[in-house]
Amino acid sequence: MQTLSVELNGDAVHSIRAPDRFEATGPFSIALENRGRSTHVHLHFDDELDRALSIGETNHYVDDESTRRVHVTAAEVEEPIAGKLKLVTGYGSNTRYVDVRLDPPRDAGPDEVTVDETFTKPPERTPDPPPRQRAGNAVAGLVKRGGVPGAVLGLLAVAAGVALALAVDSVLVSVAVGVVLTVSLAAVLLAVA
């Protein structure tokens, strides 16, 4: 972003040092660089520039030996617009004018995009790891996420269910335990994956 640098209190109290001219092709900032004691600065664009450029606030307080940046928004223009920026310090005791010109944005060229040939081919995929390695990765992920107590509790529940099915020796209990085991196993596989 282009910046208009303005020096305050450099030569004397309420002095303003700024370039005679400033050109921009869009939004820019004004850097108020205070070289002395704190001061108030009033910024104002004349009527011609005021139609295309705007500042949120016109009065700005700049602390002792500090820099304050003021953002200037710009409308898109089709033809150059020129005018003056008025800088005032010391409640009107010192005034400085800067000739400002806002130009239309430079042509960015045609709306064509050059595509590198490497992007025309699909990316190479690494092959899926074998099932044994996937199982090892799943266990490592389970340990990392702190799911070991849940897995142990799940295995104890499965063992208790199988023991209950064998002890009762009922077809209905065996089917119920089988359904619970299937759902539990599916939940564990989804949690690990």
Side-chain angles (χ1 to χ4, degrees):
M1 177 178 285
Q2 296 169 297
T3 301
L4 169 60
S5 294
V6 177
E7 182 184 274
L8 307 169
N9 297 323
D11 298 331
V13 176
H14 303 303
S15 68
I16 304 170
R17 183 180 293 167
D20 293 330
R21 291 179 174 69
F22 180 76
E23 294 182 9
T25 57
F28 61 94
S29 66
I30 301 172
L32 302 172
E33 300 169 5
N34 189 4
R35 301 287 183 226
R37 301 201 53 169
S38 61
T39 188
H40 286 87
V41 181
H42 176 79
L43 303 173
H44 177 74
F45 291 109
D46 66 9
D47 290 342
E48 190 69 28
L49 282 176
D50 196 38
R51 293 185 201 123
L53 300 175
S54 64
I55 302 172
E57 295 180 23
T58 56
N59 294 313
H60 302 276
Y61 178 78
V62 186
D63 282 322
D64 295 356
E65 298 182 8
S66 66
T67 300
R68 177 163 184 180
R69 292 192 171 276
V70 178
H71 182 72
V72 179
T73 58
E76 271 194 36
V77 294
E78 294 180 11
E79 297 178 5
I81 296 176
K84 294 195 180 292
L85 168 64
K86 181 180 180 181
L87 300 130
V88 180
T89 60
Y91 300 101
S93 66
N94 202 0
T95 302
R96 171 97 171 138
Y97 292 94
V98 177
D99 292 323
V100 177
R101 178 180 164 131
L102 178 64
D103 290 321
R106 295 180 186 95
D107 276 340
D111 290 341
E112 296 177 9
V113 177
T114 305
V115 177
D116 190 359
E117 291 298 318
T118 57
F119 291 118
T120 60
K121 300 173 188 162
E124 293 183 21
R125 283 190 56 202
T126 57
D128 290 334
R132 179 176 241 170
Q133 186 178 359
R134 277 190 284 174
N137 291 344
V139 170
L142 184 66
V143 169
K144 258 188 200 175
R145 290 191 305 260
V148 173
V152 169
L153 189 60
L155 287 175
L156 288 176
V158 168
V162 170
L164 178 67
L166 292 174
V168 172
D169 197 27
S170 166
V171 174
L172 186 59
V173 171
S174 296
V175 170
V177 168
V179 169
V180 169
L181 289 177
T182 304
V183 170
S184 298
L185 184 61
V188 168
L189 289 176
L190 287 175
V192 171

